[in-house]
Amino acid sequence: MSEFRIHHDVNELLSLLHVRGGDGAEVYIDLLQKNRTPYVTTTVSAHSAKVKIAEHSKTPEDFLRKYEELKSKNARNLDPLIYLLSKLTEDKETLKCLQQNAKERSEMSANATSSSTTSFNIPATSTKMSMQELEELRKKLGNVTASSNVPQSAEVIRKMLRDRHNKKNPTQPIPVFPNWVYDRPALIGDFITSPTPLGDPVVAIGTMPLPVQEQALVEDLLYVLIGVDGRDITAQPVLGRQSRSFIVDPSLDMSVKELVSRILPVASCYSTITRFTEERSSFEYGQVNHALTAAMRTLMKEYLILVTQLEHLHRQGMLSLQKLWFYIQPTMRTIEVLASIATSVEKGECMGGSTLSLLHDRTFNYTGDSQAQELCLYLTKAASVPYFEILEKWVYRGIIKDPYGEFMVEEHELQKEKIQEDYNDKYWDQRYTIVQHKIPSFLQKMADKILSTGKYLNVVRECGRDVTCPDAKEVLYTLKERAYVEQIEKAYNYASKVLLDFLMEEKELVSRLRSIKHYFLMDKGDFFVHFMDLTEEELKKPVDDIIPPRLEALLELALRTSTANTDPFKDDLKIDLMPHDVITQLLRVLAIETKQEKAIINADLTDVALSGLEAFSFDYIVKWPLSLIINRKALTRYQMLFRHMFYCKHVERLLCNVWISNKSAKQYSLHNAKWFAGAFALRQRMLNFVQNIQYYMMFEVMEPTWHIMENNLKSASNIDDVLCHHTSFLDNCLKDCMLTNPELLKIFSKLMSVCVMFTNCMQRFTQSMRMDSEMNRLTLEHGTMEGPPTQNERTEEAEKKRLTSKFLAEHVDSLQSDSNIEATISKFDSNFSTLLLDLLDKLSIYSTNDCEHSMINIIYRLDFNGFYTERLERMAVERSQKAAAQH
C-alpha cells in the first residue's frame, strides 16, 4: 500500500470515528509504516477468525448469514477483513471505544432521520378500523416494504447500466434489443403463469388408479422440465432472485409424490438457468456475461435433447416414473452447478472480471468433483474469450477496446499537455488506472505488469509509432497460470525495452537531464557569473517593476556568450518569476497535510514586497513523452534546489562586494576604527559559512547523487525504474540540502538574512565614511601648481559640496559614532554565532538520531579547526541533563 493510500485511509478512519484534536493523522501514519508486515490470509486463519467472531457475536446466525452472502457475491478482501475483525475482538479497550462510538453514531442518525421518517395516520386503539382503512394501511406498508426489500426489476437495472455506460462513453452507445423481445414472455422459454386454468375441467388425480396417476404425472413432469406448466403440477410466480417453487395436487398418492419431489428441483434449476441466460445475454451486462450465457445455452441443448428423447419414450408407453427418475439423475449435477453459478453471478451483480473471478474460484473449489470442475472449466474458458481479446490488444499493442467497461484497466480523458502546466496533474498515474473489482482473481498477481505493459506501448503509440509485440500469441484460460503468465512477461519485457530505447536514444533523455543539471544545479560556473553580472541591476528591483522580456534577452545573451552555447537544448531554458520566495515555497510544501498548513496558507504575504532576486527562477520546456519523467512535479523540485543555491550565490556576491569595499575603504582610515577588525573577521566567517554550504551542496550532495542516478539509469529495465531513480535523486538532494526539514530551513533562512543585513549595513558604513572623507576634503581651500583656484573651480567645488551635504542630510541616520557602529557589529556577530551554533547543534542531532550521516559533513567543514566543538559539547551535555531531569 502506498504512503498516500495509508494517509488517505487513516484520515477517513479518523473522520468516521469523529476523532478530533490530538496529534493528528501523522502519528498514526508513522506507527503504521513502522509496524506494518506483509501478511497473507490463509483459508485456515480466515475460518478460525470467522468462528471467533461468531462466538463473540450476540447474533451469530446473522453474522454467518451475512458472511455467506458476501462470499456468494465474491466480495474482495473479505477474509483479510474477517481476520482483522477477529483481532479487534481480542482488544477490550478498542472494543469499548468502538461500541461507544457506534452508540453515539446511532443516536445521531436516529435524531437526523426522525424528522424524515414516513408517518401513517393510524386510528386510535380504542376505535375499530374499517375494512377500507385496513386495506389502505396494508397497501402503504406493502409499498414501503417493497421499495426497501424487493430487488429492482430487470428493466430498471438494464436502464441504469445503459445510462451509466452512455454517460461514460457518449460516442459509443450500447445497442438495445427491441421492446418485443421483452414483451413476449413465450420467447423466453420459462414458465408463464396463467390466471385461469386451461383445458377440460380438472378431475382430482387422487381419485384415479395409481398407474393412471403415474402416467399423468410423467407427462406433467416432461412439460415442467422444459418450462411449461402441467395439469397437476404448476409453477409459482418468482419474486426477485428466488428459486422457482411448484404446487403439486395434494390428493396425489404419497409414493408418487415422493418421486415427483425428487425430480422437481431439476425443473427449478432449469427455470433459474433460463431466466439467467435470457436476462444476462443483453448488451448492458457486457461481453463476458454474454459469452457465459451462450456457453450455458450450449450445455442446456444436451438437457433439452434428453427431455425430447424421454418424451418419445413416453409416447411409446415405455417411460414410467421410476425410469424418468433413473434417466434424469446423470443430468441433475450439471443442472445444479449451472443454476448455482447463475444465482451467484446474479447475487454478486458480477460483470467482466468479477464474473471470471467467480468462475475461476468455483473451478478450484470443485477439486475432487471432476464432473463439476470440468463443467466450470468449460464455462470459464468460454466466458474469458472476450476478456482475453481485450487483454491481448492492451498488452500487445497498447490499445483499449472495451465497449462495455469490463476490463481491469480503465482509461480517463486527460490531456498530456497539462503535465507541464499543473503541479498536481499525474498523467502517468491517472490516465490509465486499475479497477480492483474488475481484475480476475487469476490475474491479480500480474495486474500491475498488465497495466504497465499497455501504458508503455501506449506512450510510444501516442508519439506516432505503431508498435506490436513480436511474441504475440493468443491468451487462453487454463488452470496452469504459468502459461499466460509467461506470455504477459514476454509482452512486458518487450514494451519496457521499446519505450526505454525510445526515450533514451531517440528522445535523448540523459542529455536532457544533463542540460537541466547545467542550469538548475548550477554546474556551468562561467554562465552564472556572466548572467548574474548582466542581471544584477535588474534583479535588485521589486518584482512588479521587472520587465520579463528584458530578463529573457539578458538570459539569451549570457547563454550565447558562455560555454552554455554548446548545449543543444539551451533554447528550452526560460525565466520564471515566482509569487513567493523560496523559503515560503518550501515551508508551504512541507506543511501539506499538517496542523500548520492552514496557518501558512492563510498567512497574509501582501505586506512583503519581493525583490527580483527572491522571486527569480528558471523554467524549462519539456515536450511529450519526456514530460513523463521531467514533469511539473520534478521541475518544481529542480526549481526549489536552484532558488536555494542561487540565493546562496547572491549572498556570497554581496559578502565579496563588502570585501572589495573594505579594501577600497582603507584609504579613508577606516582601519584605525575599533570596529573595523571585528567587522572584517565577521565578514570572513560569513563568507566561509556561505562558501562551505555551497561547496557541500554541489560537491558532496548533488554531484555524487547525480552520478549514482546516471549509473542507475544505465541499468534501468523499464520506465518505472527511470521514474523511481529520478525521483529518488531529487528527493535525496532536497533532503541532504536541508530543504525538507522545516526546523533546519528556518535557522538557515535566518542565517542568510543576518548575512544580507550585515552586508547592507557595511555598505552604508563604508559609503558614509566615504562621504565624510569627501566632505572634509572639500572644506579645505587649496590651489594648484599653477596658482590659486580659478572662479570656475571654486564654483564646481561649491556644487560638489552642496550635493554632498544634501546626501549626508538624507542619510544622517546612518552616520553613527564609532561606539555605535562597534555595538552594531557586535550584535551582528552575536546573532550570527548563536544561529550558526544552533544550526550545527541541530545537524549533529539529526545526523545521529535520524541517521542522516551526510549532514555531519557540514559540521566537519564549518568546524574544521574545532572552533565550535567545545560549545557544541557543552550544549549536548545540557540537553542530556535536561532530558534526564524530565524522566
Side-chain angles (χ1 to χ4, degrees):
M1 185 183 286
S2 68
E3 185 176 349
F4 171 79
R5 186 69 193 172
I6 294 173
H7 204 294
H8 173 75
D9 289 344
V10 169
N11 277 311
E12 284 289 310
L13 186 58
L14 291 177
S15 174
L16 287 170
L17 295 175
H18 300 290
V19 176
R20 297 287 183 269
D23 298 320
E26 293 83 9
V27 176
Y28 302 106
I29 292 163
D30 291 340
L31 284 171
L32 283 172
Q33 288 182 323
K34 288 177 182 176
N35 297 305
R36 62 178 177 174
T37 53
Y39 177 78
V40 179
T41 311
T42 62
T43 307
V44 176
S45 60
H47 178 72
S48 59
K50 181 177 68 173
V51 172
K52 187 182 294 182
I53 295 172
E55 289 173 353
H56 284 80
S57 175
K58 293 180 181 178
T59 54
E61 296 84 2
D62 292 342
F63 164 74
L64 292 173
R65 192 182 303 113
K66 190 67 178 175
Y67 176 82
E68 293 302 328
E69 180 188 340
L70 291 172
K71 200 71 176 172
S72 68
K73 288 185 176 182
N74 200 38
R76 292 295 177 95
N77 298 320
L78 178 61
D79 287 342
L81 176 63
I82 292 297
Y83 181 80
L84 173 64
L85 292 175
S86 73
K87 287 294 181 185
L88 287 176
T89 58
E90 299 172 2
D91 192 335
K92 303 299 180 186
E93 188 177 346
T94 306
L95 269 180
K96 186 177 178 182
C97 176
L98 290 173
Q99 286 168 355
Q100 180 64 27
N101 189 271
K103 184 179 178 183
E104 292 173 2
R105 286 166 60 84
S106 63
E107 288 173 357
M108 288 171 61
S109 61
N111 293 335
T113 56
S114 60
S115 59
S116 61
T117 51
T118 308
S119 60
F120 302 110
N121 296 322
I122 302 177
T125 53
S126 59
T127 61
K128 288 185 178 182
M129 295 178 67
S130 67
M131 290 302 295
Q132 187 178 355
E133 288 175 335
L134 185 63
E135 192 63 31
E136 287 178 3
L137 180 60
R138 187 182 291 114
K139 283 182 180 178
K140 286 181 179 179
L141 289 172
N143 290 337
V144 172
T145 308
S147 63
S148 58
N149 296 328
V150 176
Q152 294 173 313
S153 67
E155 185 179 351
V156 173
I157 294 173
R158 282 198 303 271
K159 187 178 183 305
M160 184 180 67
L161 291 171
R162 189 162 55 247
D163 292 344
R164 187 193 303 168
H165 174 86
N166 293 342
K167 186 177 179 181
K168 188 176 285 188
N169 302 300
T171 57
Q172 295 180 338
I174 290 182
V176 182
F177 281 130
N179 290 332
W180 58 263
V181 173
Y182 305 108
D183 293 342
R184 300 184 180 181
L187 293 174
I188 296 174
D190 194 18
F191 293 93
I192 302 172
T193 53
S194 177
T196 56
L198 302 175
D200 300 327
V202 178
V203 179
I205 194 170
T207 60
M208 300 178 183
L210 195 59
V212 177
Q213 289 185 35
E214 186 175 343
Q215 287 301 312
L217 282 173
V218 167
E219 186 171 351
D220 270 12
L221 283 171
L222 289 173
Y223 279 117
V224 168
L225 288 173
I226 57 172
V228 179
D229 277 335
R231 191 185 67 171
D232 302 304
I233 304 174
T234 54
Q236 290 286 85
V238 177
L239 293 176
R241 299 190 181 101
Q242 295 177 356
S243 297
R244 178 78 68 180
S245 59
F246 298 90
I247 297 177
V248 183
D249 192 316
S251 65
L252 194 65
D253 185 85
M254 288 301 296
S255 61
V256 177
K257 189 184 287 187
E258 175 63 25
L259 270 176
V260 170
S261 64
R262 293 182 187 180
I263 299 172
L264 282 179
V266 180
S268 178
C269 291
Y270 170 80
S271 176
T272 301
I273 297 165
T274 304
R275 279 181 283 122
F276 173 80
T277 53
E278 287 298 326
E279 176 59 31
R280 295 281 161 163
S281 59
S282 298
F283 295 108
E284 289 84 356
Y285 292 98
Q287 294 174 300
V288 172
N289 279 343
H290 186 82
L292 174 62
T293 57
M296 282 188 171
R297 280 198 179 104
T298 303
L299 292 170
M300 290 303 292
K301 284 179 183 177
E302 298 179 8
Y303 167 80
L304 293 172
I305 290 170
L306 172 64
V307 175
T308 306
Q309 290 173 345
L310 292 174
E311 188 177 355
H312 183 66
L313 288 174
H314 175 62
R315 286 177 182 174
Q316 294 177 347
M318 299 171 62
L319 186 65
S320 64
L321 201 55
Q322 287 79 6
K323 282 187 177 180
L324 176 59
W325 168 239
F326 174 78
Y327 287 128
I328 208 74
Q329 279 189 73
T331 317
M332 286 184 69
R333 182 58 179 156
T334 302
I335 299 296
E336 285 173 3
V337 171
L338 292 178
S340 171
I341 290 172
T343 304
S344 297
V345 171
E346 277 197 331
K347 276 187 179 179
E349 297 175 357
C350 300
M351 288 178 63
S354 54
T355 300
L356 294 179
S357 293
L358 188 144
L359 291 170
H360 174 76
D361 294 344
R362 284 295 179 92
T363 306
F364 266 95
N365 290 340
Y366 284 130
T367 302
D369 185 345
S370 58
Q371 181 187 353
Q373 188 175 46
E374 190 177 345
L375 179 64
C376 286
L377 186 60
Y378 168 77
L379 291 175
T380 312
K381 282 182 177 180
S384 64
V385 169
Y387 193 91
F388 279 143
E389 285 177 358
I390 303 171
L391 176 67
E392 287 167 17
K393 284 185 179 174
W394 175 245
V395 298
Y396 293 152
R397 301 188 63 195
I399 298 172
I400 284 188
K401 192 174 182 182
D402 183 20
Y404 302 104
E406 301 171 280
F407 192 49
M408 68 172 80
V409 179
E410 192 172 45
E411 184 177 8
H412 305 277
E413 288 298 326
L414 291 175
Q415 296 178 3
K416 56 179 179 286
E417 290 77 16
K418 281 193 175 180
I419 204 168
Q420 266 295 298
E421 299 167 8
D422 188 359
Y423 179 86
N424 293 316
D425 185 68
K426 299 177 181 177
Y427 181 91
W428 184 249
D429 295 328
Q430 294 181 356
R431 173 70 192 279
Y432 296 103
T433 56
I434 287 281
V435 184
Q436 284 296 328
H437 68 272
K438 293 181 182 178
I439 305 175
S441 54
F442 52 87
L443 291 177
Q444 184 73 53
K445 295 176 184 176
M446 302 296 295
D448 290 333
K449 282 198 173 180
I450 290 170
L451 175 67
S452 299
T453 303
K455 280 165 67 176
Y456 296 163
L457 295 175
N458 187 265
V459 170
V460 182
R461 286 184 65 82
E462 290 202 2
C463 295
R465 290 180 52 178
D466 190 20
V467 285
T468 304
C469 179
D471 297 323
K473 293 180 182 177
E474 186 181 4
V475 182
L476 297 173
Y477 174 79
T478 171
L479 287 175
K480 297 177 180 178
E481 293 183 13
R482 193 64 211 160
Y484 46 76
V485 166
E486 286 176 358
Q487 289 175 254
I488 293 169
E489 287 276 4
K490 286 179 182 177
Y492 173 76
N493 293 334
Y494 170 76
S496 303
K497 188 175 185 306
V498 165
L499 180 57
L500 201 59
D501 292 347
F502 181 67
L503 289 177
M504 291 291 191
E505 295 173 12
E506 191 168 328
K507 296 298 178 180
E508 301 177 283
L509 174 62
V510 176
S511 300
R512 280 279 180 181
L513 291 173
R514 202 172 286 125
S515 172
I516 290 174
K517 177 175 177 278
H518 291 334
Y519 309 116
F520 286 87
L521 305 187
M522 297 178 69
D523 77 342
K524 287 284 185 184
D526 66 319
F527 160 71
F528 277 99
V529 171
H530 191 28
F531 176 73
M532 295 182 85
D533 287 340
L534 289 171
T535 58
E536 187 171 11
E537 294 301 320
E538 189 73 17
L539 291 177
K540 283 180 182 176
K541 299 177 184 177
V543 67
D544 294 333
D545 297 339
I546 292 177
I547 304 170
R550 177 170 170 76
L551 275 182
E552 293 280 0
L554 293 173
L555 172 63
E556 181 75 14
L557 179 61
L559 287 169
R560 302 294 176 190
T561 55
S562 65
T563 55
N565 192 39
T566 58
D567 180 14
F569 309 115
K570 61 182 178 295
D571 294 332
D572 292 328
L573 187 66
K574 300 296 174 189
I575 298 291
D576 192 9
L577 295 175
M578 310 292 281
H580 311 291
D581 62 83
V582 64
I583 302 299
T584 305
Q585 183 187 13
L586 285 162
L587 289 175
R588 284 169 73 96
V589 171
L590 294 174
I592 290 173
E593 298 291 348
T594 66
K595 291 184 286 185
Q596 295 82 19
E597 179 179 15
K598 190 175 290 185
I600 289 178
I601 290 175
N602 294 336
D604 187 11
L605 300 173
T606 54
D607 297 337
V608 182
L610 286 181
S611 68
L613 274 162
E614 292 172 318
F616 177 78
S617 180
F618 281 142
D619 202 359
Y620 201 84
I621 298 172
V622 188
K623 295 181 180 178
W624 178 265
L626 290 174
S627 52
L628 284 173
I629 310 297
I630 313 167
N631 51 30
R632 176 49 54 191
K633 196 170 182 179
L635 280 173
T636 303
R637 288 170 171 165
Y638 276 117
Q639 283 181 331
M640 289 191 286
L641 287 167
F642 166 75
R643 296 179 75 193
H644 185 58
M645 291 194 298
F646 187 77
Y647 195 72
C648 289
K649 195 72 178 173
H650 164 64
V651 174
E652 182 193 6
R653 285 169 66 90
L654 290 178
L655 290 167
C656 288
N657 288 338
V658 170
W659 181 82
I660 295 170
S661 299
N662 287 351
K663 289 293 182 184
S664 62
K666 286 183 178 179
Q667 59 183 311
Y668 305 119
S669 302
L670 280 177
H671 59 280
N672 293 327
K674 294 179 181 179
W675 55 267
F676 185 76
F680 192 98
L682 178 57
R683 186 218 68 229
Q684 197 59 35
R685 283 174 59 208
M686 287 180 173
L687 191 59
N688 177 67
F689 165 72
V690 174
Q691 287 178 337
N692 275 290
I693 284 289
Q694 285 187 88
Y695 183 93
Y696 161 77
M697 289 192 296
M698 296 187 72
F699 295 102
E700 294 189 21
V701 174
M702 292 178 188
E703 280 298 324
T705 316
W706 169 265
H707 285 298
I708 290 170
M709 182 188 74
E710 262 196 332
N711 291 331
N712 287 336
L713 290 182
K714 290 176 184 176
S715 60
S717 59
N718 57 63
I719 199 67
D720 285 303
D721 287 349
V722 174
L723 273 167
C724 181
H725 294 320
H726 186 231
T727 305
S728 177
F729 160 72
L730 289 170
D731 287 345
N732 289 335
C733 286
L734 286 168
K735 182 184 69 176
D736 292 340
C737 290
M738 303 180 290
L739 299 183
T740 58
N741 189 311
E743 199 171 6
L744 293 176
L745 195 59
K746 288 174 183 175
I747 298 172
F748 187 81
S749 173
K750 290 176 183 176
L751 277 166
M752 290 288 105
S753 299
V754 169
C755 292
V756 172
M757 291 165 65
F758 172 76
T759 58
N760 293 337
C761 187
M762 286 301 296
Q763 292 291 7
R764 286 200 304 273
F765 290 163
T766 306
Q767 195 170 25
S768 64
M769 290 301 173
R770 188 184 297 118
M771 292 295 105
D772 194 24
S773 178
E774 184 69 16
M775 189 73 176
N776 292 335
R777 188 184 69 79
L778 292 174
T779 56
L780 298 175
E781 290 289 338
H782 65 279
T784 64
M785 293 183 66
E786 297 178 357
T790 62
Q791 185 62 35
N792 288 339
E793 288 174 342
R794 287 180 182 278
T795 305
E796 187 179 339
E797 289 194 2
E799 181 64 21
K800 285 183 180 180
K801 186 175 181 180
R802 187 184 68 79
L803 292 173
T804 305
S805 300
K806 182 182 178 183
F807 177 84
L808 292 174
E810 292 173 351
H811 295 81
V812 68
D813 59 327
S814 64
L815 296 175
Q816 304 172 13
S817 65
D818 281 1
S819 60
N820 287 342
I821 295 174
E822 188 174 356
T824 303
I825 298 300
S826 176
K827 189 174 181 181
F828 274 121
D829 195 336
S830 173
N831 288 341
F832 180 77
S833 299
T834 303
L835 287 169
L836 184 57
L837 273 171
D838 195 14
L839 178 67
L840 294 174
D841 185 45
K842 292 289 189 297
L843 286 171
S844 66
I845 293 171
Y846 286 120
S847 61
T848 306
N849 296 351
D850 296 346
C851 299
E852 302 293 348
H853 300 304
S854 60
M855 287 187 180
I856 207 165
N857 294 336
I858 307 177
I859 302 176
Y860 294 146
R861 296 198 65 80
L862 298 176
D863 192 27
F864 62 94
N865 58 357
F867 181 75
Y868 301 105
T869 303
E870 184 180 346
R871 284 192 254 183
L872 285 171
E873 289 175 353
R874 196 184 311 132
M875 290 171 74
V877 170
E878 289 173 0
R879 190 166 53 251
S880 62
Q881 288 174 350
K882 187 177 179 181
Q886 288 177 348
H887 290 298

